[in-house]
Amino acid sequence: MRRALELAREAMYRTSPNPRVGCVLVRDGVVLGEGSTQAAGLDHAEVQAVRQAAARGHDLRGATAYVTLEPCAHHGRTPPCADLLAQQGVTRVVAAMVDPNPLVAGRGLERLRSAGARVESGLFEADAREINPGFVSRMVRGTPWVRLKAAASLDGRTALPNGVSQWITGAEARADGHHWRARACAVLTGIGTVRADDPLLTVRHVPTPRQPIRIVIDSRLDLPPAAKLLRDATAPLWLVHALPPDQAAGRMTALRTAAAPGLDLQDIALPTAADKPGKTDLQALMRELGRRAINELHCEAGEKLNASLLRAGVIDELLLYVAPTLLGAGAGVAAIGPFEELAQGIGLQWQSLDRVGTDLRILARPPGRLASLLPH
């Protein structure tokens, strides 16, 4: 199963919106075949493993399949993997976790059990969930797993008072941040960050088989026609706004005229927040992104949008790079507060702490966030 988990991690950047899955086929202590999920519409991990075993001349009758996620039991873009394993004569299947997808949710294991196979689940379940937090979130909550990323000084500053923020952390931390971008289905920012930094929001510092969708919360569709986002057609661009259809149509026409040829440019009209007229309803946005099959959402925004995301309760984890420097006055990670009592702060639990180049990488989450997504 540890090898199957390694294979699932190797699929980290290519499977969206499908889960990352690894499979190892074994008999009498000998690995017959192994595989991992390919891009959407292509082979699942079980298919890859069966094909590798066949190429090696192995008969799979009596074999055990170790798979990080319950084999699927429905016809999607590919046939059911549970049927494939049963047809191959696999007599034991060990799944790290039951599939939270309501179309599967135990049906794959039951189908294998009905075919005469012994089935088990739960081996390294927590590790398997960590590989697919976005898929689990979308299946259980209907919303993506939302990561807030920021780079700050040791005293918590993300920019100087004049707005200068490039670069607080070193090259290694920036490249590492692009790994986290690459694994996400989409990268989110706000129009304020676009105006201040003119970002591309693409993955550039590490290899990637695909670019995540870029999403900008731009309530009035004020995106500058000269923005770099419009000049780069390598990744789709979605603009989230709160304008009535007639106003939105005119502004989108102007932006499409200014955009690079071939850019997939879409707009998403959403209601405004009930307590903040003119501001996007962030919970409604997450539901819409879940409907659009966004598993992991990676947020890189300014302190105001970061604060709104935190107050809305949609952040599942904070990815913070901390540089060994003091900047004094300036912007913070999130413009929350001021609080009257310490207990009013947003409590988090450490997930991991690592050194990346000259900087620290901290991953923290609200207590029990991923465990709470266990299927009920």
Side-chain angles (χ1 to χ4, degrees):
M1 186 62 81
R2 286 194 175 97
R3 174 57 183 157
L5 289 165
E6 287 179 3
L7 291 164
R9 293 186 189 99
E10 290 174 6
M12 186 67 69
Y13 306 109
R14 66 169 178 255
T15 67
S16 175
N18 292 338
R20 303 128 177 169
V21 182
C23 178
V24 179
L25 299 170
V26 181
R27 186 176 55 236
D28 300 327
V30 176
V31 173
L32 308 178
E34 60 182 34
S36 60
T37 309
Q38 303 302 299
L42 301 180
D43 291 346
H44 287 191
E46 297 91 331
V47 176
Q48 286 271 304
V50 167
R51 285 184 175 172
Q52 187 180 92
R56 293 174 174 176
H58 294 304
D59 187 321
L60 292 177
R61 284 176 291 184
T64 294
Y66 293 91
V67 62
T68 59
L69 185 70
E70 173 188 5
C72 62
H74 66 291
H75 281 272
R77 291 171 173 166
T78 59
C81 291
D83 290 352
L84 173 65
L85 294 179
Q87 291 162 6
Q88 292 293 318
V90 171
T91 55
R92 181 173 175 240
V93 176
V94 182
M97 64 178 290
V98 173
D99 194 334
N101 186 342
L103 295 176
V104 184
R107 293 182 181 88
L109 294 180
E110 182 56 39
R111 187 171 293 190
L112 286 158
R113 190 180 289 112
S114 298
R118 290 184 296 132
V119 301
E120 305 167 41
S121 63
L123 182 61
F124 297 131
E125 182 176 12
D127 300 79
R129 284 203 313 274
E130 285 290 343
I131 295 171
N132 286 298
F135 180 76
V136 173
S137 175
R138 183 165 64 87
M139 291 298 110
V140 175
R141 299 186 303 195
T143 59
W145 179 263
V146 184
R147 179 185 309 113
L148 192 160
K149 179 262 181 182
S153 62
L154 194 57
D155 52 352
R157 299 305 174 193
T158 59
L160 298 176
N162 62 4
V164 173
S165 62
Q166 299 176 343
W167 300 101
I168 291 175
T169 53
E172 294 92 340
R174 294 198 297 276
D176 190 74
H178 277 236
H179 276 291
W180 290 85
R181 263 191 200 181
R183 64 175 279 171
C185 298
V187 178
L188 175 77
T189 196
I191 187 62
T193 297
V194 173
R195 287 192 183 121
D197 297 339
D198 197 17
L200 280 170
L201 298 183
T202 53
V203 178
R204 300 181 302 282
H205 298 318
V206 297
T208 181
R210 59 161 183 84
Q211 288 287 347
I213 297 164
R214 300 168 298 171
I215 304 174
V216 179
I217 296 179
D218 183 8
S219 296
R220 297 188 55 78
L221 288 179
D222 289 330
L223 184 70
K228 289 180 182 177
L229 288 168
L230 289 171
R231 304 298 182 185
D232 189 312
T234 59
L237 177 60
W238 296 354
L239 303 179
V240 180
H241 65 87
L243 293 178
D246 56 338
Q247 292 185 35
R251 298 194 183 193
M252 286 301 298
T253 297
L255 291 174
R256 288 192 174 97
T257 300
L263 174 63
D264 180 2
L265 177 59
Q266 301 180 32
D267 68 308
I268 302 175
L270 289 176
T272 58
D275 58 339
K276 290 192 175 181
K279 297 295 184 181
T280 299
D281 184 330
L282 295 173
Q283 292 182 345
L285 172 60
M286 298 310 154
R287 291 192 295 270
E288 176 63 17
L289 295 182
R291 191 186 69 79
R292 291 172 178 245
I294 299 298
N295 289 340
E296 286 188 31
L297 180 65
H298 183 85
C299 304
E300 298 191 22
E303 63 174 1
K304 291 182 180 179
L305 179 53
N306 286 348
S308 296
L309 290 163
L310 286 164
R311 282 194 293 265
V314 300
I315 296 298
D316 294 303
E317 65 184 9
L318 175 65
L319 176 67
L320 181 63
Y321 294 90
V322 180
T325 185
L326 301 172
L327 295 180
V333 172
I336 56 176
F339 299 130
E340 298 290 332
E341 301 176 4
L342 292 176
Q344 293 176 300
I346 298 173
L348 302 169
Q349 289 182 336
W350 303 123
Q351 190 71 19
S352 63
L353 173 62
D354 300 282
R355 185 165 179 170
V356 181
T358 59
D359 307 306
L360 295 180
R361 180 186 65 205
I362 298 170
L363 192 66
R365 294 174 181 165
R369 197 69 164 195
L370 187 53
S372 69
L373 296 182
L374 282 171
H376 299 293

